[in-house]
């Protein structure tokens, strides 16, 4: 043992520690990745060694590499090994590594349950501390359930250091295991009044986190918090409490009045800015009185400016008017060089707009758009402008011409990504605001005319989306176009083919719509010649689209080309075709609300999941097919009957379907007149459509015109005001000045501003029987929902945290087999089961004998003058049930070069070395490397085994050549290989319920054994069994543990380990 | 809740990362890069709050950071935390580092990442603030290093001797430590207590 220790520390002299690793990485700046990969190889070697200090050092280095982005999850098992070290130093390293890289998906995490439980109950408070800290980072639902009770106990630990950590971690436990909340809550509440301020603070933290999600359940704690708020001096605690009150007051209005006094006291007395700010914030929420916000904003400190804006957005929700008076201040913030502040200010503006100030605010924003550097901020501005304008169904827009011109101006932005957003707005407005169509079409035609400005640069791809909207609008509403021919020509320019495919497709489609419009005009005017020229032009230009690489474009173009050619033929015969071509595109497109389908209630008695027809069973159809072939005459009988039935049935069904279609808004009805005449359709009639009455038509191509609208608007408003006054005066005159007060109190309120045009915003269609509820689906996956638990109800008896007891069958039943092995003869030495009643003094040990010979194996032959070797692992081959892999490390401990090593074993009947084909039993296997002085390397050898129920000892020799300065000599080393039964086991995790089933199945045979004179702590023993003998712990309670493993041939091996008393634990 | 704590230098090299929610390693690196990109382009005299780290969180989350000499300390928190409170907390953390390392500089963080983690563990646990009283934090950290020393430490005496010898043999080692005077100067700000 001592020898091993010394050897271990000598080994370690050559190990890198964390500092060496960091230094090495810094020295290899140019080939860092390569250096790190060699380091990882070294770490892998270190992890294979027995010395826990070496392992801990390796794990520590892995934690550093994890920070650099290397996946270290492969070392999870080693991390657990280091965690289970008895030394605090190593334990802490292990837990740190675990907290950095373990997560719910880590499969070995369930192996830690018992280790953590042991650490939680450790007499050393820092062991408990690191365990709690680590657990807080990787707690899983299973761990939470298993450990909740232990943590609960720690909440009343004597040391405040542990208490506060235990209290804090409870929040994580609640999240993962919500059932624990009710049983644990009384104690948590108790901790609010803990004498230690740290524990108090932790309890406040936890309850604030809980209350933030479900405040109503925590109202009853308000008096307690109130007391804390007036007594505590810890700013952090105060901030948390004050924030909590901010969440509670909306639920309990009486709380507000009580809070004002202590809050104002705090505001006056505190020197901490953070506390002051939170107080003010809560006062805002509580009292709904707007305080000193302006003062905050004037302060130049950017931090406070930011928070001031944040606070204002809160006030905005309740008192929009008071914030609106600070509009200029907020607009100033848009000039701030800090992006965070600008974004906050933008948010505020969104809530501040009204009919009155919308144009002005948007104008300011447009100026900022022009000035802004950096596309992200500009894009942000763009989306905000559109958001502001389109919010609540265009509520604040009084003049849609202005809005369209804003949209058109926005298309001149360079490099924006939001072309599709502008496009969808254009489409939306043009479709839904009928009165605006004429204007919109004119603008869009202009855009199409100047398309080269937008699409000139392929880099600016984003914005060409706008052309999609423009083309569609011009085509669909072509009757509003002044000169459809010009637009048609613009759409067929050769440059168009450089646009993205989906836009070209729209171009092609809408070119035909325009063509129809042109034809109509020409024919009504009697200009047959001109109409034919247009057709020719189209035939000439369309082939460029037919050649397109985009399928959609190609298909549409070739289809339409044929159509146009046919039209040309008809035209040549002097047939007027305009009406028929127009009929192709007849019919109104109505906007449908995105949620329309969802809103239709499922009619009573309709089960959407039920089969309409009986599902055909596979066997049936197969059986019947041959029947149909061979008995042809049979269907003949039924055929006439079927048709008869059909005729009656069909008529009835047709009628029903018509009825249904009439009521179905999604069904495209065949309208009686094929003309495109939306005014005729019922439902639109009663909407009064007023002609646009603009004094100045604003069509200066390429010039920003929105400003002019602004001016116009102002003038119009003034005029309106004047008119109103005049009217009132008239009225007054009529009424002989009866009521004076009306006049004097006249202010221009929002409602007074009449929109410039009477605009009908067509609401999106909803099915008639849509449900009125507008509930947005709540996220059912919200993890905090589970914590919405009523805490005031008294605890029921059933609500207890699970306390872990050992399997009941085990404590009662000595009759029933406790621990079993697949075949008792299989493990004569090792599988032991203990009768608990007897022998209180004795300890059970399973592997004493085994452990010793493993040790021998490691130490025994290593004293050769040249070569040191050790077998460090014999493991079953997962793929092949009859093979084991033996890993041997060879180490050259002389000063000479070793080469030509050959490894040979005297095969037994049962166990044979796998040799290359053709080799005889006496040939050795060449070791695939040479060893320079002081170097070690690992080789693996495969053995086949027939029976795995007996241990084996194989004799073998290793021959090699020692190359010295004066020649080389042949050397030989004899050794023995031990195959123990556990070599054939494969570590397989097993869940406790599966384990219980296995025990109940009574397929297992029992064997018991007692061992004395084991003087190592129980958990060490378990770790040893796990590591050397490939078992995994199923569960452990105190000094009793059940373990499981599986052999390479699939036998189950269960093991009960029990220490009856622990007299020599400390030694 | 605090969702993540990141410390990186002016070039975006991570010095300490601590996520309180699981992200795979490549995602973590991406978050660090994105955060560095957001934070580094900001002037020192603009405010210390940032929204819109798209990878971490979403609208409920904010980045709150402080810039000391060569290092950025970034906390990603949700709306339950007080913005100014977290700023103070960063200050407490840095002052604690200053006390534990005696004039802390970036090199201390580079070579003793584990210790920095242990100190952080006494301030924040599982994303929640554990302690804001600096004396208490320093006391607990010192107690634990005493315990570590009594166990002989990780590297023990022989290894330390070896690494000393190794250092002597490598003349280029000192040359690499040329980051200049990078002591984090801790300005005095209003403390918690």
């Amino acid at each position: 043992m001592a020898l091993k220790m010394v050897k271990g520390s000598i080994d370690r002299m050559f190990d890198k520690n964390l500092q060496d690793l960091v230094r090495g990485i810094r020295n290899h700046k140019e080939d860092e990745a390569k250096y790190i990969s060699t380091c990882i190889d070294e770490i892998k070697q270190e992890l294979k060694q027995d010395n826990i200090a070496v392992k801990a050092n390796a794990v520590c280095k892995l934690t550093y590499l994890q920070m650099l982005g290397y996946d270290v999850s492969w070392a999870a098992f080693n991390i657990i090994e280091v965690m289970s070290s008895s030394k605090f130093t190593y334990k802490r390293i292990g837990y740190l590594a675990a907290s950095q890289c373990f997560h719910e998906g880590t499969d070995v995490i369930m192996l830690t349950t018992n280790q953590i439980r042991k650490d939680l109950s450790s007499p050393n408070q820092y062991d408990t501390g690191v365990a709690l800290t680590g657990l807080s980072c990787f707690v899983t639902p299973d761990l939470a359930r298993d450990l909740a009770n232990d943590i609960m106990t720690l909440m009343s630990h004597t040391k405040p250091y542990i208490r506060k950590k235990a209290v804090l971690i409870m929040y994580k436990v609640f999240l993962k295991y919500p059932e624990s909340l009710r049983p644990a809550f009384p104690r948590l509440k108790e901790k609010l009044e803990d004498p230690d301020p740290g524990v108090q603070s932790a309890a406040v933290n936890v309850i604030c986190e809980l209350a933030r999600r479900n405040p109503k359940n925590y109202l009853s704690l308000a008096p307690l918090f109130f007391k804390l708020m007036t007594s505590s001096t810890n700013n952090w605690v105060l901030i948390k409490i004050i924030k909590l009150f901010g969440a509670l007051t909306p639920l309990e209005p009486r709380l507000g009045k009580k809070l004002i006094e202590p809050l104002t006291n705090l505001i006056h007395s505190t020197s901490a800015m953070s506390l002051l700010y939170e107080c003010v914030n809560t006062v805002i929420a509580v009292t709904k009185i707007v305080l000193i916000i302006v003062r905050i904003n004037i302060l130049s400190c950017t931090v406070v400016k930011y928070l001031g804006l944040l606070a204002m957005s809160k006030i905005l929700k309740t008192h929009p008017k008071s914030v609106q008076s600070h509009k200029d201040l907020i607009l100033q913030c848009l000039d701030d060089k800090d992006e965070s502040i600008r974004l906050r200010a933008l948010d505020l503006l969104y809530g501040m707009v009204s009919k009155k100030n919308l144009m002005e605010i948007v104008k300011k924003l447009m100026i900022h758009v022009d000035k802004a550097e950096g596309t992200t901020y500009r894009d942000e501005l763009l989306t905000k402008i559109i958001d502001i304008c389109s919010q609540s169904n265009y509520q604040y827009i009084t003049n849609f011409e202005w809005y369209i011109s804003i949209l058109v101006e926005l298309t001149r932005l360079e490099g924006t990504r939001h072309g599709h957003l502008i496009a969808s707005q254009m489409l939306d407005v043009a479709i839904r605001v009928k009165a605006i169509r004429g204007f919109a079409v004119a603008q869009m035609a202009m855009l199409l005319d100047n398309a080269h400005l937008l699409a000139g640069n392929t880099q600016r791809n984003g914005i060409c989306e706008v052309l999609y909207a423009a083309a569609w609008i011009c085509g669909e509403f072509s009757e509003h176009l002044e000169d459809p021919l010009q637009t048609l020509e613009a759409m067929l320019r050769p440059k168009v083919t450089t646009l993205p495919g989906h836009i070209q497709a729209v171009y092609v489609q809408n070119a035909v719509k325009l063509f129809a419009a042109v034809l109509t005009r020409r024919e009504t005017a009697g200009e047959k010649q001109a109409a034919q020229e247009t057709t020719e032009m189209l035939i000439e230009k369309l082939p460029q689209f037919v050649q397109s690489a985009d399928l959609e474009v190609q298909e549409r173009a070739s289809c339409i080309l044929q159509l146009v050619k046919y039209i040309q033929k008809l035209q040549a015969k002097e047939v007027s075709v305009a009406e028929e071509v127009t009929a192709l595109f007849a019919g109104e497109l109505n906007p449908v609300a995105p949620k329309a389908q969802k809103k239709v209630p499922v009619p009573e008695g309709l089960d959407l999941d039920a089969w309409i027809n009986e599902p055909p069973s596979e066997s049936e159809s197969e059986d019947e097919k041959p029947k149909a072939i061979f008995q042809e005459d049979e269907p003949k009988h039924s055929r006439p009957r079927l048709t008869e039935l059909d005729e009656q049935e069909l008529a009835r069904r047709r009628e029903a379907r018509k009825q249904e279609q009439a009521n179905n808004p999604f069904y495209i009805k065949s309208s009686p007149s094929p003309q495109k005449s939306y005014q005729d359709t019922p439902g639109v009639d009663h909407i009064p459509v007023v002609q646009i009455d603009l004094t100045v038509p604003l069509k200066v191509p390429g010039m920003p015109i929105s400003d002019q609208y602004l001016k116009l608007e102002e003038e119009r408003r003034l005029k309106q005001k004047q008119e109103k006054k005049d009217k009132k005066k008239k009225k007054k005159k009529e009424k002989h000045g009866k009521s004076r007060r009306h006049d004097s109190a006249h202010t221009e309120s929002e409602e007074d501003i009449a929109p410039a045009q009477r605009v009908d915003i067509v609401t999106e269609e909803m099915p008639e029987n849509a449900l009125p509820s507008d509930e947005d689906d709540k996220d059912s996956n919200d993890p905090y929902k589970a914590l919405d638990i009523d805490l005031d109800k008294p605890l029921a008896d059933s609500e207890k945290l699970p306390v872990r007891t050992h399997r009941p069958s085990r404590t009662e039943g000595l009759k029933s087999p406790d621990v079993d092995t697949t075949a008792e003869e299989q493990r004569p030495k090792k599988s032991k089961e203990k009768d608990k009643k007897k022998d209180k003094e004795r300890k059970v040990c399973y592997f004493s004998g085994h452990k010793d010979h493993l040790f021998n194996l490691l130490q025994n032959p290593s004293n050769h003058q040249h070569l040191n070797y050790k077998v460090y692992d014999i493991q079953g081959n997962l793929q092949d049930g009859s093979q084991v892999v033996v890993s041997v490390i060879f180490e050259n401990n002389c000063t000479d070069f070793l080469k030509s090593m050959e490894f040979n074993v005297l095969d037994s009947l049962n166990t044979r070395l796998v040799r290359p084909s053709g080799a005889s039993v006496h040939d050795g296997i060449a070791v695939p490397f040479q060893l320079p002085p002081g170097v070690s390397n690992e080789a693996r050898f495969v053995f086949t085994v027939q029976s795995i129920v007996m241990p084996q000892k194989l004799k073998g020799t290793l021959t090699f050549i020692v190359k010295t300065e004066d020649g080389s000599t042949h050397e030989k080393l004899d050794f023995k290989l031990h195959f123990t039964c556990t070599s054939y086991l494969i570590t397989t995790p097993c869940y406790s319920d599966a384990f219980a089933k296995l025990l109940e199945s009574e397929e297992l045979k029992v064997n018991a054994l007692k061992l004395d004179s084991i003087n190592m702590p129980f958990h060490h023993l378990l770790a040893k069994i796990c590591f050397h003998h490939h078992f995994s712990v199923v569960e452990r309670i105190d000094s009793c543990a059940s373990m499981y493993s599986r052999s390479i041939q699939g036998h189950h091996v269960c093991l009960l380990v029990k220490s009856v008393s622990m007299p020599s634990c400390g030694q | 809740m605090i969702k993540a704590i990141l410390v990186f230098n002016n070039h975006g090299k991570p010095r300490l990362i601590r996520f309180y929610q699981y992200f795979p390693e490549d995602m973590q690196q991406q978050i660090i890069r994105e955060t560095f990109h957001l934070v580094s382009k900001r002037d020192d005299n603009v405010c210390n709050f940032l929204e819109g780290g798209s990878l971490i969180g979403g609208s409920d989350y904010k980045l709150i950071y402080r810039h000391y000499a060569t290092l950025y300390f970034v906390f990603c928190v949700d709306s339950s935390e007080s913005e100014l409170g977290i700023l103070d907390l960063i200050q407490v953390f840095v002052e604690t580092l200053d006390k534990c390392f005696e004039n802390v500089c970036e090199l201390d963080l580079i070579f003793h990442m584990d210790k920095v983690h242990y100190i952080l563990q006494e301030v924040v646990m599982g994303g929640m603030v554990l302690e804001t009283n600096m004396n208490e934090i320093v006391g607990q950290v010192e107690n634990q290093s005493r315990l570590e020393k009594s166990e002989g430490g990780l590297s023990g005496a022989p290894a330390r001797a070896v690494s000393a010898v190794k250092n002597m043999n490598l003349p280029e080692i000192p040359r690499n430590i040329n980051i200049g005077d990078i002591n984090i100067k801790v300005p005095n700000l209003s403390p918690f207590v």
Side-chain angles (χ1 to χ4, degrees), chain A residues 19 27 89 92 126 340, chain B residues 49 111 131 140 148 151 176:
Chain A
Q19 281 73 34
N27 281 338
T89 315
R92 185 160 71 159
Y126 291 109
S340 293
Chain B
F49 314 117
F111 285 106
E131 185 60 68
Q140 297 296 354
E148 184 180 340
E151 287 180 347
N176 282 299

Side-chain angles (χ1 to χ4, degrees), chain A residues 439-726:
Chain A
F439 180 78
V441 165
Q443 290 287 314
M444 294 305 122
M446 206 171 72
L447 265 185
L448 287 177
D449 233 10
N450 301 326
H452 55 280
L453 293 176
L454 297 175
N457 191 342
T458 41
Q459 297 257 294
R460 289 194 257 157
N461 261 342
I463 204 65
C464 60
E465 291 288 330
V466 172
L467 294 175
Y468 175 97
W472 190 86
I473 292 172
C474 284
E476 186 65 22
F477 307 117
S478 51
E479 69 271 13
H480 297 291
L481 267 179
E482 224 161 68
D483 187 359
L485 186 60
Q486 193 196 344
T487 315
L488 183 60
E489 276 165 359
M491 278 168 70
L492 295 172
R493 282 188 200 134
K495 199 100 202 242
V496 170
T497 47
T498 60
L499 289 172
H502 65 285
I503 298 178
Q504 282 188 57
V506 171
Y507 264 60
V508 172
Q509 187 76 13
N510 285 284
V512 193
K513 293 183 193 168
L514 283 172
F515 173 60
V518 175
L519 278 186
T520 322
R521 289 199 193 183
R522 294 279 183 265
E523 282 188 8
T524 45
E527 303 162 359
K528 295 237 160 104
Q529 189 59 35
Q532 280 180 13
E533 275 168 21
T534 319
T535 318
E536 263 163 42
M537 194 262 291
L538 213 58
I539 290 175
E540 191 183 312
K541 295 277 174 73
L542 273 174
Q544 60 181 337
F545 293 109
V546 178
Q547 292 159 5
S548 169
D550 192 285
L551 264 185
E552 177 84 9
V553 181
Q554 200 187 33
E555 192 183 2
R556 287 190 192 208
S558 44
C559 206
I560 283 163
L561 187 60
Q562 285 310 311
L563 181 76
V564 177
K565 278 180 181 164
Y566 181 67
I567 291 170
Q568 196 186 24
K569 263 189 219 160
L570 288 177
Q571 275 178 334
K573 289 179 197 159
E574 303 272 307
V575 184
S576 56
V577 286
E579 202 171 304
E580 281 173 55
V581 177
T582 318
L584 285 174
F585 307 105
E588 173 81 338
L589 287 171
N590 289 332
V592 176
K595 281 188 203 154
Q597 181 69 61
K598 249 203 275 176
K599 296 271 167 148
V600 186
V602 178
E604 247 177 82
L606 175 66
D607 181 8
L608 290 174
D609 294 327
W611 285 92
I612 296 174
N613 298 312
E614 279 303 303
S617 70
E618 276 163 45
S619 57
E620 205 179 306
S621 62
E622 269 173 23
D623 286 345
E624 271 171 19
K625 255 181 198 165
K627 249 187 204 169
I629 293 168
F630 295 116
Q631 305 174 325
E632 262 183 277
D633 48 344
E634 219 178 82
K636 269 182 187 165
H637 290 287
S638 57
R639 215 176 270 156
R641 238 186 340 154
L642 259 174
T643 44
E644 215 179 86
L645 201 147
D646 265 5
E647 271 163 29
Q648 296 169 351
E649 183 72 7
L650 268 180
R652 202 174 57 78
R653 282 187 196 161
R654 215 175 279 141
E655 202 50 45
R657 206 181 307 137
K658 263 187 197 162
Q659 197 66 38
E660 198 195 305
Q661 283 168 11
N663 294 330
N664 191 341
F666 301 110
Y667 211 88
I668 302 164
K669 294 153 214 167
S670 57
S671 79
S673 69
Q675 279 162 359
K676 187 178 189 174
S677 50
Y678 57 83
Q679 267 95 348
D680 292 348
T681 42
V684 184
D685 273 341
H686 58 85
I687 304 173
V689 180
V690 177
Q691 281 296 315
I692 308 160
D693 188 21
L694 261 186
T695 39
V696 196
L698 297 160
K699 279 173 197 162
V700 193
M703 282 264 293
I705 47 175
S706 59
D707 291 357
Q708 299 171 35
Y709 277 104
L710 194 61
K711 227 180 259 168
L712 265 180
E713 181 75 11
E714 274 162 18
E715 281 166 20
R716 194 180 61 81
R717 279 186 199 169
L718 260 178
K719 221 166 101 189
Q720 248 177 20
K721 229 175 173 178
Q722 202 59 46
E723 274 170 16
K724 246 180 220 166
K725 268 189 189 163
D726 292 349

Side-chain angles (χ1 to χ4, degrees), chain A residues 43-166:
Chain A
I43 289 170
K44 282 184 179 162
Q45 285 299 326
E46 286 169 29
L47 287 176
K48 281 176 188 162
Q49 293 184 33
D50 275 345
N51 191 326
I52 193 74
V54 178
K55 272 188 187 160
N57 185 36
V59 166
C60 185
K61 287 189 280 183
L62 280 179
T63 315
Y64 183 81
L65 294 178
Q66 195 270 346
M67 179 177 81
L68 300 183
Y70 290 84
D71 178 22
V72 299
S73 53
W74 50 270
F77 190 73
N78 301 104
I79 291 172
I80 293 179
E81 279 182 297
V82 176
M83 274 162 73
S84 55
S85 158
S86 59
K87 275 196 179 183
F88 170 74
T89 315
Y90 305 146
K91 192 184 284 298
R92 185 160 71 159
I93 291 168
Y95 273 105
L96 175 62
S99 70
Q100 288 289 72
C101 69
F102 282 13
H103 54 93
E104 282 194 23
T106 308
D107 46 3
V108 290
I109 214 166
M110 58 179 183
L111 298 178
T112 61
T113 318
N114 292 311
Q115 180 58 41
I116 295 173
R117 176 173 294 130
K118 204 201 85 204
D119 287 336
L120 290 183
S121 53
S122 158
N124 180 350
Q125 63 163 328
Y126 291 109
D127 282 354
T128 315
V130 291
L132 283 171
T133 308
L135 184 63
S136 73
C137 293
F138 57 77
V139 60
T140 62
D142 283 342
L143 282 177
R145 190 193 56 233
D146 293 345
L147 297 173
N149 202 43
D150 303 62
I151 300 173
M152 268 274 275
T153 336
L154 288 181
M155 279 166 78
S156 3
H157 198 271
T158 49
K159 294 260 172 39
Y161 179 72
I162 300 302
R163 281 208 303 274
K164 71 180 176 191
K165 286 197 169 194

Side-chain angles (χ1 to χ4, degrees), chain A residues 950-984:
Chain A
M950 57 175 106
Q952 283 270 318
K953 253 184 218 183
L954 294 186
K955 278 187 183 170
T957 43
L958 185 78
T959 55
F960 53 95
I961 296 171
V962 184
K963 207 175 163 193
T964 53
E965 275 162 13
D966 36 27
S968 50
T969 49
H970 254 279
E971 290 280 359
K972 194 177 114 181
L973 177 69
D974 288 313
F975 61 86
K976 276 181 194 163
L977 267 181
H978 272 244
F979 290 89
T980 61
C981 286
T982 52
S983 309
Y984 308 122

Side-chain angles (χ1 to χ4, degrees), chain B residues 19 28 46-47 57-58 66 68 75 86 108-110 112 120-121 134 145 160 166 175 179 184:
Chain B
F19 286 88
Q28 290 185 355
V46 300
C47 81
R66 269 180 187 275
Y68 296 93
F75 280 44
I86 292 290
D108 291 318
L109 271 74
I110 295 172
H112 303 283
L120 181 62
Q121 282 176 356
M134 208 186 321
S145 15
R160 239 174 285 152
K166 272 194 268 183
R175 236 188 295 139
I179 307 179
I184 296 171

Side-chain angles (χ1 to χ4, degrees), chain A residues 890-938:
Chain A
F890 298 93
E891 184 175 359
N892 182 351
N893 49 8
C894 66
T895 51
D896 303 318
F897 201 87
L898 302 185
K899 60 178 206 176
S900 308
M901 288 185 280
E902 269 197 30
F903 180 89
N904 198 9
V905 175
L906 214 56
D907 287 0
S908 72
L909 277 176
N910 190 33
T911 313
R912 294 166 201 269
L913 179 62
V914 176
R915 297 180 169 87
S917 56
S920 90
V921 191
H922 307 293
D923 291 343
I925 290 185
V927 179
F929 47 78
Q930 303 181 329
L931 284 178
V935 169
S936 65
N937 207 339
E938 172 198 338

